[in-house]
Amino acid sequence: TLVEEMGGQLERTALSTNVKERLDFSCALLDADGNLTVNAPHVPVHLGALGLCVREIADALSLGPGDVIISNHPAFGGSHLPDVTVIAPVHDDDGTLFAYVANRAHHAEIGGVRPGSMPPEARNLAEEGVVIPPTYLFRGSESRMDEAVRLFREGPWPSRRPEENFADVLAQVAAVRRGIQALTDLGREHGAATLAEHMGFLRE
């Protein structure tokens, strides 16, 4: 299925052992309202909040064609900070939103006062690791990757492995782009409205 293809893309292109070999990630397709519609049999614990995450980010940011967003913030449907979510809206050729694709991957190292980014003595989020509010990785066709790099490298307790983090983020972007392309092709073949209708049938 489409989301299994996204997972295969992520597995092939990720760098870290945690994502590439442990397969600690999940991929999903959501409808235009941000409701989880289809997921691959990856790590189910990621999926419970993924719909909430998409809805919160869609409320916070304007999402247009070509946009890709990253976040791990608990206030926007994140879980713990090592679980980094990448989201992209899917539009038809007329620019009408009809779906979202998303993935969430566990980054084994994302900063904080202790390696592993889950210190039991933490009293604030920054002590747990790098905090990423909803941030554009791409705004249309324009790359905003430099901002993501800065987030991993700066702050009071930055990541100890920022190059690995960024390589995995690029793999997550490649996976959502795979999903966008596959869904766009289906929309052109069958019509975006028909796809949206069938996503509703799946949810029912």
Side-chain angles (χ1 to χ4, degrees), residues 25 56 58 97 117 139 142 151 155 162 184 195:
F25 64 82
E56 290 289 334
L97 173 73
S117 308
R139 187 71 164 124
E142 178 189 352
L151 290 170
T184 301
L195 285 187

Side-chain angles (χ1 to χ4, degrees), residues 153-171:
R153 292 184 182 277
E154 297 179 6
W157 292 281
S159 174
R160 298 164 184 86
R161 302 289 298 275
E163 294 82 6
E164 184 174 277
N165 295 129
F166 201 57
D168 282 353
V169 168
L170 288 173

Side-chain angles (χ1 to χ4, degrees), residues 40-176:
H42 296 140
V43 179
V45 70
H46 293 158
L47 298 164
L50 203 50
L52 174 64
C53 184
V54 169
R55 293 191 295 274
E56 290 289 334
I57 289 174
D59 284 343
L61 296 177
S62 172
L63 301 181
D67 291 352
V68 181
I69 310 298
I70 185 173
S71 181
N72 68 348
H73 202 299
F76 295 89
S79 49
H80 61 167
L81 297 182
D83 282 341
V84 176
T85 304
V86 172
I87 295 166
V90 185
H91 297 77
D92 65 17
D93 290 336
D94 294 326
T96 301
L97 173 73
F98 72 95
Y100 293 92
V101 287
N103 59 55
R104 181 169 283 181
H106 183 113
H107 291 234
E109 166 51 46
I110 200 166
V113 295
R114 289 193 189 188
S117 308
M118 290 184 280
E121 75 277 16
R123 295 178 179 271
N124 59 61
L125 275 178
E127 291 180 359
E128 292 187 19
V130 172
V131 182
I132 308 170
T135 301
Y136 291 103
L137 291 173
F138 286 88
R139 187 71 164 124
S141 59
E142 178 189 352
S143 173
R144 301 280 184 90
M145 291 286 192
D146 289 347
E147 174 64 13
V149 172
R150 185 187 67 77
L151 290 170
F152 282 113
R153 292 184 182 277
E154 297 179 6
W157 292 281
S159 174
R160 298 164 184 86
R161 302 289 298 275
E163 294 82 6
E164 184 174 277
N165 295 129
F166 201 57
D168 282 353
V169 168
L170 288 173
Q172 290 181 255
V173 171
V176 296

Side-chain angles (χ1 to χ4, degrees), residues 177-190:
R177 290 204 183 283
R178 177 69 175 266
I180 291 168
Q181 187 60 58
L183 204 52
T184 301
D185 290 344
L186 282 171
R188 287 172 179 158
E189 181 179 356
H190 302 287

